[in-house]
Every structure is written in structure tokens, then in C-alpha cells.
Amino acid sequence: MTKVYACFCTDVIHEGHMNLLQEATRYGQVIVGVLSDSATVSYDRFPTVSLEERIRIIEETGLVDQVIVQKDVLYDDVFDSIHPDFVIHGDNWKQGPMEIIRKNVIENLLRTGKPDGLIEIPYTYNENVKKIDNRMREKLAMPEFRRGRLRQLIHMRPVVKALEVHSGLTGLIAEKTVVDVDGRLDQFDAMWISSLCDSTAKGKPDIELVDMSSRIRTIDDVMDVTTKPIILDGDTGGLIEHFRYNVRTLERMGVSAVIIEDKTGLKKNSLFGTEVEQTQDSIENFTAKIKAGKEALRTDEFMIIARIESLILDRGMDDALKRASAYVEAGADGIMIHSRKESADEIVLFCNEFRKMDRYTPIVVVPTSFHSITEDELAKAGANIVIYANQLTRSAFPAMQSTAISLLKNHRALEIDSQLMPFKEIINLIDEF
Ligand code: SPV
Ligand code: MG
């Protein structure tokens, strides 16, 4: 019998899906592939219901002969296993990132001798569908749904990629940027609220001067318009007595992790290294801080990640590894190892050595100065989270400065205009409810 195939990555069935399935039944036996969790996360948003539930809602439409799990956003495996005669999809995939999926389907249809096998039907996007879409996004943004997702992503992604954000707008860039590279779709998994960039955005130095109330304000701005998990750069974590309260607040807000660094006294940014005076905390005090934070938690979702500054402060690999063991022993849910060398050698060595003693505790790295190593190479070394900690701020600042210079030099806006994004495009980023 003729087979018609459709891939679904939805958590809710609406009239648009029903129309598509009705149409599919006209062509033959209907097979639906429900996109797996990890494939969904790689190109769309995090599912709000389980894979089993997503399969169940498709079966309940009564219009489908068979449901399978599609493990990749591209259709090669589907063609090899199911041999569909037709693929049906809404015409919304003709533009934007989904274009490469459409191209992949067309290539597969040609490869399997079905050049007329593509059925595209007008995509349904009315007020009701928009409302359902918004509701799913709002659910993902709720603290109880957002908080645990970092832990989940660590198991679902080869490496979790976090982008620095310090405002609603930068949050939207992290949330919505999707690219196709070499025929695959990719996007950021999480957001990093950097102390350096949050301070810089306020024109202040990165010395814990921007206090927790202000950092919370930034988190709130970001949370208001995004759904992805948030990792907060918690500086030194401050006094143990304060850290307890702050952990409780962050957990309640739906932040997924806080990373605290083992420094004490006046904190300076790590990229200054030993050029400025910086004091590393004692293992004893820092482990007490980790323990106090862990005791304050009310869920097992929130992560307290301990950041080791031994390589930054030229204290050596042995010191870094000794601290890593002590911090994990104290309850740290992850280890961040930092370096300001251009070569990633010491980071890779740390990861390799740490993995010999600990196979599972997540490792976080921040490839700012060792920027030529790729995410794949870091993942192979044993890293689980890669944070792009300041690149958005460093690209925005020179762009804004050159605009200011051009306006002053030319006494008008004409000369710079071709470099500027039309406001309409910026507005498109912003959701209206
Ligand atoms: C930050 O982004 O504020 C960090 C990472 O702490 S670094 O600037 O590299 O120290
Ligand atoms: Mg910082």
C-alpha cells in the first residue's frame, strides 16, 4: 500500500495538524514520526510533555496507521527504514531554518525514485494556533519547567552550548538564533549571565560591585522573554551566610545553576590573571560554602557548580585537581575549570585527568582565550558545558562605538545607515501577546 509520512514535533494537536492528517489519509497508509527529545531540542524548543505522551496524542487522532520515533531532524533514516511514497508537510518550511529539512526530503524523494512525492499544504496559523504556541512557550518559561532542564540537556546534547546574555534583547538572541551548518540545524541550549558583561552593560567594573539585587533584576528581564535554562555567574558566592539565601532565591526563580569561583576578598576578573592581586579561597572555606548552598536547596534540580581558579592564578594542575576532588566531595554538582592561556592544552589535560578520577560530574569550560579549540574537541576531552562568556558584548560595543563616531564625523545618520539593522527586523524578534 502507498505510504504517506509526516513528522511531528508538537506537544499539542490543533486544527492545523488535524487538517494535515486528514489530507494525508487521501494518499494512503499514514505513518507519523514523532521527533525524539534530543532531535526536538536540537532544532526547536524543549518538549513540554514526554515522548510517550506525544506518541499518544498522535495515536488518539484516529487518523494514523503507524507511529514511529524519528531520531534525527533529517529524513535519511526514515527513507531507509519506512520507504515512504509521499511526505506531507505544512508550507511553512519553505523559509527559515527548516528550509534545509525540506531540501533533505526532496533529495531523499529523488534518491528513492519518488520525484512527485512531496505534498505541501498551507500552514494553519490563526489566533487559536498562536494561542496554543504561546501557552507552550509560557509553560517552558515557568520556574518549575525551566530549572531542571540544564541537567536534562547535559544528557541529551553532545555538549551544552551557553551564550552570554545580559538583557531581554540579548536573551532573545540566545533564544531564537537557529542556523544550519553543513546540513544540520543548531541553536544555543542555555544562557550564561556573566558578571563581567552584566557589570560592563552597567558601565561598572567586574568586582562584585553590581550586587545580587541588580543581578536578579537582569535575570528577571531575561526570564521574562525566554525559555532556555539560565546559568548564573555567581562570582565568589559572597559570604557563606549570604550564599544560602541567594541559592534559595535563585532556585525559586527557576535559575538552573550557579557557578561560584574559589576566590576571596576583592574579586577581579579572571582574564587579568596574576596581573592584578587576587586571592584564592582555602579549600576548607570554599567547601563549607558549597555545603551550605547544597543544604539550602529545596529541589534536586538546581546545580551548584564550583569554579577552580588554580590555573588562572598559576597554582598548577595538581592544585586544580586536588580542589576538584574536594569540591565534588563537598557536593558540587559540576566543576568549572578556567584558563587564560591561548592554548587549550592545560584545559584538555585537566579534563583528561579529572575524568580518570570522576567519569560523570559535569565539566564546564569557557573558551575565551583558548578560542581555537572546537566544541567537539572539548566534548571529546570530557567537557559537558561550553560557555561563550562575553562575545556578544564584545561584538556590540565596537559596533555601537563606530556608529557614534560616524554620527559625530558626518553630522548626519546617512553614512552609517547601511550598517544598521532596520528597526522592523529588531521588532520581529520581540514577541507580542
Ligand atoms: C564572566 O563572564 O564574568 C566570567 C568568565 O566570570 S571570565 O570573564 O572569563 O572570568
Ligand atoms: Mg565573572
Side-chain angles (χ1 to χ4, degrees):
M1 186 165 176
T2 309
K3 291 178 186 168
V4 51
Y5 184 81
C7 175
F8 274 51
C9 70
T10 187
D11 299 351
V12 181
I13 296 291
H14 56 60
E15 62 202 78
H17 303 122
M18 292 303 281
N19 285 344
L20 185 139
L21 290 175
Q22 290 283 9
E23 183 65 17
T25 57
R26 296 182 45 228
Y27 289 81
Q29 184 192 8
V30 180
I31 304 172
V32 166
V34 173
L35 207 56
S36 69
D37 286 351
S38 53
T40 304
V41 166
S42 73
Y43 109 103
D44 195 22
R45 58 174 153 239
F46 211 93
T48 58
V49 295
S50 69
L51 180 67
E52 292 70 32
E53 177 73 2
R54 302 204 298 283
I55 292 172
R56 194 184 58 75
I57 59 172
I58 302 285
E59 286 168 347
E60 280 181 357
T61 62
L63 296 169
V64 177
D65 298 288
Q66 191 189 346
V67 182
I68 62 157
V69 176
Q70 184 175 328
K71 293 202 174 118
D72 195 297
V73 286
L74 300 182
Y75 284 51
D76 306 65
D77 291 346
V78 168
F79 273 85
D80 291 342
S81 56
I82 301 284
H83 311 292
D85 300 287
F86 294 97
V87 170
I88 185 164
H89 200 284
D91 60 2
N92 57 320
W93 68 349
K94 286 184 176 170
Q95 290 113 31
M98 280 197 292
E99 230 182 323
I100 66 155
I101 305 177
R102 178 175 189 263
K103 196 166 147 253
N104 170 262
V105 168
I106 292 171
E107 280 165 8
N108 271 302
L109 286 167
L110 289 175
R111 173 170 75 85
T112 54
K114 309 274 164 29
D116 302 320
L118 184 61
I119 312 160
E120 288 171 314
I121 62 164
Y123 183 66
T124 313
Y125 202 72
N126 55 26
E127 276 311 307
N128 187 33
V129 174
K130 195 171 161 197
K131 217 191 277 169
I132 291 172
D133 238 19
N134 286 344
R135 220 178 294 143
M136 279 202 281
R137 207 157 346 106
E138 280 158 23
K139 188 172 168 188
L140 282 173
M142 295 301 278
E144 63 274 30
F145 287 102
R146 193 192 303 240
R147 191 170 43 226
R149 283 216 302 281
L150 183 66
R151 277 193 193 273
Q152 289 171 278
L153 280 165
I154 290 171
H155 298 291
M156 292 166 79
R157 299 289 270 156
V159 66
V160 171
K161 299 185 290 288
L163 183 68
E164 176 269 317
V165 306
H166 53 267
S167 60
L169 188 62
T170 48
L172 285 174
I173 291 174
E175 180 82 9
K176 298 198 173 186
T177 308
V178 182
V179 292
D180 68 274
V181 223
D182 307 328
R184 304 210 78 81
L185 290 173
D186 206 3
Q187 60 174 322
F188 289 101
D189 305 295
M191 298 175 283
W192 163 247
I193 304 213
S194 150
S195 68
L196 174 63
C197 299
D198 201 0
S199 307
T200 304
K202 293 171 172 60
K204 301 257 173 80
D206 181 19
I207 52 172
E208 293 190 273
L209 173 66
V210 176
D211 67 7
M212 194 48 87
S213 305
S214 171
R215 307 292 307 284
I216 285 171
R217 182 68 242 170
T218 303
I219 297 170
D220 208 34
D221 286 344
V222 171
M223 281 187 156
D224 239 359
V225 295
T226 62
T227 65
K228 291 185 178 177
I230 290 178
I231 307 170
L232 176 72
D233 173 359
D235 285 318
T236 65
L239 294 172
I240 292 179
E241 293 81 352
H242 294 178
F243 185 55
R244 285 197 181 101
Y245 283 92
N246 289 331
V247 159
R248 187 74 63 80
T249 306
L250 296 169
E251 183 187 36
R252 178 175 46 73
M253 289 178 79
V255 171
S256 298
V258 65
I259 302 188
I260 51 168
E261 59 194 275
D262 57 359
K263 286 202 291 231
T264 189
L266 181 62
K267 190 219 75 156
K268 307 268 176 65
N269 184 271
S270 298
L271 300 172
F272 288 121
T274 50
E275 291 155 33
V276 293
E277 206 181 305
Q278 308 215 50
T279 315
Q280 199 170 19
D281 203 354
S282 66
I283 293 182
E284 201 183 17
N285 193 57
F286 200 65
T287 50
K289 198 178 286 185
I290 294 166
K291 280 184 193 149
K294 290 292 289 181
E295 276 162 21
L297 291 176
R298 288 286 169 265
T299 70
D300 49 18
E301 294 175 334
F302 187 86
M303 301 173 76
I304 295 179
I305 299 175
R307 163 170 167 178
I308 299 168
E309 294 286 291
S310 305
L311 304 181
I312 291 285
L313 300 170
D314 292 337
R315 297 276 165 81
M317 188 60 66
D318 288 347
D319 186 72
L321 289 163
K322 185 169 110 190
R323 285 172 176 269
S325 292
Y327 300 165
V328 172
E329 178 78 10
D333 300 293
I335 291 293
M336 173 180 151
I337 183 67
H338 207 13
S339 163
R340 61 194 181 99
K341 299 252 162 72
E342 267 181 43
S343 149
D345 289 354
E346 64 178 12
I347 289 290
V348 170
L349 180 62
F350 175 91
C351 293
N352 290 336
E353 292 300 311
F354 181 72
R355 281 283 168 256
K356 283 183 199 160
M357 23 183 228
D358 183 330
R359 284 178 61 196
Y360 301 113
T361 303
I363 302 178
V364 184
V365 292
V366 181
T368 302
S369 36
F370 46 100
H371 47 217
S372 48
I373 190 162
T374 64
E375 291 155 7
D376 270 358
E377 289 165 333
L378 287 165
K380 273 197 197 96
N384 305 86
I385 302 180
V386 170
I387 297 177
Y388 293 104
N390 48 46
Q391 287 78 4
L392 277 195
T393 293
R394 285 162 59 206
S395 56
F397 189 89
M400 290 194 282
Q401 200 174 40
S402 85
T403 300
I405 290 170
S406 172
L407 292 171
L408 276 178
K409 280 195 176 162
N410 297 298
H411 305 286
R412 63 179 187 179
L414 172 74
E415 286 72 13
I416 196 66
D417 202 69
S418 63
Q419 306 295 311
L420 308 181
M421 188 181 213
F423 223 90
K424 253 194 185 154
E425 281 180 36
I426 294 193
I427 287 169
N428 279 344
L429 254 183
I430 295 169
D431 298 310
E432 280 183 47
F433 295 107

